[in-house]
Amino acid sequence: MSYENIEVRTEAGKVGIITLHRPKALNALNDALMTELGTALKAFDADDAIGCIILTGSERAFAAGADIAAMAKYSFIDTYKGDYITRNWETIRAIRKPVIAAVSGFALGGGCELAMMCDFIIAADNAKFGQPEIKIGVIPGAGGTQRLPRAVGKSKAMDMALTARMMDAAEAERAGLVSRVVPYEKLADEALGAALVIAGYSQIAVMAAKESVNRAFESGLSDGVMFERRLFHALFATQDQKEGMDAFLAKRQPDFKNA
Ligand code: CO8
């Protein structure tokens, strides 16, 4: 499959890497790009050999937001009825394998929201996060007002959504928006290293862990803990649980079969 707005490759046969590639518009997210991104994500998700996916951009921009030039002409009826802007944005939420966002440069508006839809964010030291939609007369539309406060708390989320100021990588790490910050030159290796670690584990356990952590944002504590417990119980039906525990006791490396 050939793409015009993204680049797609694999590493070590088990990590899928998707690079947003609209350099002239700082990777602004238009309908065509989001369609291609959804197709590529679904293809990696369906590929048994792939254990983890990395989503990244360029040094200057992960993505500077939804494409303002494409959006500017729409009326309320266009957006509400035709769903032109929003229709492709939810695909990433249905991906069951882990998706790591490797963010360098601007992650603004829909770009910040897209990064937050990934499972965790590794940032380069030049990363800048922001929800500046207020400056162009709108508000975040892909979950920014919901995921940002869950990540950084109400005060910082309000500050960013209301003033449109950007948060640098160091502040984003302190606030819990990103899991690690590395120099830009090390970003690709750091993300790949994390992805290879994940891809080395049992895919079933990895998917269960992702599902269970995500449940924390959808349920109360008791329901979430019960959901986790049932998934934990279910993993005892897998060969990988036997293999993982046997290997530990025999002091050898496990050989997971994803079964
Ligand atoms: N959309 C379209 N084009 C863009 C965008 C964008 N979001 N951001 C940058 N570009 C283009 C510029 O127009 C420019 O193009 P050209 O060279 O043809 O003039 C090129 O990229 C380079 O940009 P700048 O010259 O502006 O570069 P600077 O280094 O001076 O500034 C900034 C970089 C600060 C990132 C600046 O470009 C900027 O402020 N961009 C807009 C950021 C923004 O407002 N983002 C939010 C957009 S709204 C949104 O994301 C809503 C999400 C809702 C999703 C709903 C779906 C569910």
Side-chain angles (χ1 to χ4, degrees):
M1 173 102 195
S2 70
Y3 298 104
E4 290 180 6
N5 301 285
I6 60 173
E7 293 172 346
V8 174
R9 66 191 172 90
T10 57
E11 277 284 346
K14 47 189 170 181
V15 174
I17 302 179
I18 302 172
T19 305
L20 305 175
H21 188 65
R22 286 190 74 209
K24 288 186 180 153
L26 299 183
N27 292 335
L29 306 166
N30 63 9
D31 203 40
L33 185 153
M34 294 308 289
T35 301
E36 292 183 4
L37 176 60
T39 302
L41 284 167
K42 283 196 273 193
F44 280 142
D45 209 30
D47 183 343
D48 285 342
I50 297 297
C52 190
I53 302 164
I54 295 171
L55 178 59
T56 194
S58 67
E59 178 173 3
R60 192 164 167 221
F62 177 75
D67 190 319
I68 300 170
M71 274 189 299
K73 61 180 179 292
Y74 289 135
S75 68
F76 165 73
I77 301 292
D78 291 331
T79 56
Y80 185 74
K81 194 165 162 231
D83 203 17
Y84 296 117
I85 309 170
T86 53
R87 62 184 166 194
N88 293 319
W89 283 73
E90 294 295 312
T91 310
I92 191 166
R93 292 189 59 204
I95 302 303
R96 303 197 57 201
K97 290 173 185 165
V99 184
I100 301 172
V103 174
S104 170
F106 297 112
L108 303 178
C112 185
E113 293 170 306
L114 181 61
M116 289 192 290
M117 282 187 227
C118 296
D119 296 307
F120 63 97
I121 303 173
I122 299 180
D125 51 6
N126 69 339
K128 284 189 165 50
F129 298 87
Q131 297 290 164
E133 289 89 342
I134 201 86
K135 284 165 74 174
I136 55 170
V138 290
I139 66 170
T145 64
Q146 305 305 301
R147 290 194 181 90
L148 193 59
R150 283 167 168 80
V152 305
K154 175 184 165 186
S155 192
K156 246 182 219 304
M158 281 288 190
D159 182 359
M160 290 176 70
L162 296 177
T163 71
R165 83 170 173 88
M166 293 185 213
M167 195 188 272
D168 67 18
E171 184 180 2
E173 187 183 30
R174 281 199 305 278
L177 179 61
V178 311
S179 69
R180 318 177 188 182
V181 178
V182 294
Y184 169 71
E185 300 70 41
K186 300 202 167 140
L187 179 66
D189 282 349
E190 188 78 12
L192 181 59
L196 285 169
V197 167
I198 293 167
Y201 296 134
S202 163
Q203 270 185 26
I204 303 165
V206 163
M207 284 162 70
K210 167 170 172 163
E211 213 175 332
S212 198
V213 173
N214 277 334
R215 192 71 172 210
F217 298 97
E218 311 284 349
S219 63
L221 183 61
S222 303
D223 287 345
V225 168
M226 186 51 73
F227 181 83
E228 177 196 80
R229 188 150 312 154
R230 291 299 176 232
L231 277 181
F232 177 75
H233 292 157
L235 290 171
F236 283 76
T238 67
Q239 291 173 30
D240 286 347
Q241 171 267 327
K242 302 283 177 291
E243 170 62 12
M245 295 190 183
D246 286 352
F248 175 82
L249 294 173
K251 301 191 187 304
R252 63 173 173 80
Q253 286 301 309
D255 179 18
F256 293 120
K257 301 288 190 206
N258 301 325

